[in-house]
Amino acid sequence: MQATLTFLGSGTSMGVPTLGCNCAVCVSATSPKGDPRNRRTRPSVLISWEGHNVVIDTGPDFHAQAVREGIRSLDAVLYTHGHADHVLGMDDLRPLSFHSPGDLPLYADEPTARTIERIFDYTFRTQDRYPTSARVTLHRIASAPGAEVALFGARFVRIPVTHGRQTITGYRFGSVAYLTDLSDIPAESLPLLADLDILILDALRREPHPTHSHLEKSIAIVEQIRPRRAFFTHMSHDLDHAATDAILPPHIRLAYDGLKVTFDISP
């Protein structure tokens, strides 16, 4: 089955331009003579196939991202972890859920599900629930590597990755793996990443970081896993798009907001 992946956002938690910053990349992000690929909203992707739309993460920019890409319906949302830049747009699912024939399914591991329920208590509590809350049902994903969520003929396989001191969820779907916010890939996850067409992973900046992979490390991960193509996401204002792309191997590119790639999502 052919599918399209759209990068809704490719930025770090503070976005690019970063508030209060006048660096060359932040200026380029908004200048008429700059590079629009440097304007990076918070990280999220849309996967579309055979009339179905699934989103991974709904950050605080989700409303603007959905308007930009013309998202008129969703069939499911998967979450990687409970940090603000990945979950705070959940409430923007409300109008999309109102047009759904049933509750919109959300999928998250146990720690992430608890965080979402705490932040959006008014949506999930059983008593005195806010009357126009999003019509969603939150499903727990098993923590084991390789746990699956089956959606419309495709399988979304949980790939545990390390994000500083915590373990969060990456996903493999067909020939693509989406691994945002990682600092390391545990050994038990590597067999789940064999024979990839596209690997998408965190590349925060040039210098090492305690909870994210940096540019040099991400390049090394790509060479270890050996996908046919790779795209870096969750990038800060430390990385200028054109200048960084120019030094990368030809099979590795920086993602940018609105970029679309096609792939095979068959199990």
Side-chain angles (χ1 to χ4, degrees):
M1 295 182 291
Q2 285 296 298
T4 299
L5 182 145
T6 303
F7 287 89
L8 299 179
S10 58
T12 186
S13 58
M14 291 186 286
V16 182
T18 301
L19 296 181
C21 182
N22 291 315
C23 75
V25 173
C26 287
V27 171
S28 170
T30 55
S31 169
K33 295 183 179 180
D35 188 341
R37 297 173 300 180
N38 281 330
R39 184 172 180 83
R40 300 172 182 139
T41 57
R42 268 60 77 93
S44 176
V45 291
L46 166 70
I47 303 101
S48 304
W49 75 101
E50 297 189 343
H52 301 292
N53 289 321
V54 171
V55 161
I56 301 178
D57 290 338
T58 54
D61 300 312
F62 178 71
H63 178 274
Q65 294 166 342
V67 170
R68 186 192 74 216
E69 297 299 332
I71 298 174
R72 302 182 64 86
S73 65
L74 278 183
D75 297 293
V77 180
L78 299 100
Y79 287 96
T80 59
H81 63 299
H83 287 173
D85 53 324
H86 296 263
V87 303
L88 285 189
M90 195 284 290
D91 197 63
D92 291 324
L93 297 173
R94 286 193 300 153
L96 298 174
S97 73
F98 296 160
H99 298 296
S100 178
D103 283 0
L104 179 66
L106 314 180
Y107 298 89
D109 61 21
E110 181 63 35
T112 306
R114 290 198 305 267
T115 297
I116 293 172
E117 289 171 335
R118 184 173 67 252
I119 295 172
F120 299 101
D121 168 73
Y122 59 88
T123 296
F124 294 100
R125 63 185 177 221
T126 56
Q127 294 184 339
D128 193 29
R129 183 178 180 272
Y130 191 67
T132 57
S133 293
R135 296 171 184 168
V136 295
T137 299
L138 185 54
H139 302 275
R140 264 69 169 173
I141 300 173
S143 61
E148 294 183 1
V149 176
L151 295 171
F152 317 110
R155 294 202 304 259
F156 289 77
V157 179
R158 183 176 190 264
I159 311 291
V161 296
T162 302
H163 181 28
R165 295 182 178 180
Q166 67 180 121
T167 298
I168 67 168
T169 300
Y171 293 97
R172 177 171 182 161
F173 34 98
S175 60
V176 173
Y178 181 71
L179 310 178
T180 186
D181 285 50
L182 67 87
S183 49
D184 284 296
I185 302 176
E188 60 267 25
S189 293
L190 291 175
L192 300 171
L193 299 171
D195 196 28
L196 286 173
D197 179 25
I198 299 172
L199 173 63
I200 301 165
L201 74 161
D202 187 350
L204 181 71
R205 62 188 192 186
R206 294 181 182 274
E207 296 300 317
H209 188 276
T211 62
H212 292 272
S213 182
H214 61 287
L215 189 65
E216 183 179 355
K217 183 172 185 176
S218 295
I219 294 171
I221 291 172
V222 172
E223 296 309 311
Q224 178 187 15
I225 295 176
R226 303 183 68 80
R228 282 170 280 282
R229 296 180 285 168
F231 293 93
F232 292 161
T233 191
H234 203 288
M235 295 171 292
S236 76
H237 59 175
D238 189 52
L239 301 179
D240 176 78
H241 189 98
T244 308
D245 251 7
I247 64 171
L248 291 173
H251 62 294
I252 304 175
R253 299 288 91 184
L254 299 190
Y256 57 86
D257 291 24
L259 173 65
K260 299 179 187 295
V261 294
T262 58
F263 67 99
D264 184 4
I265 201 172
S266 302

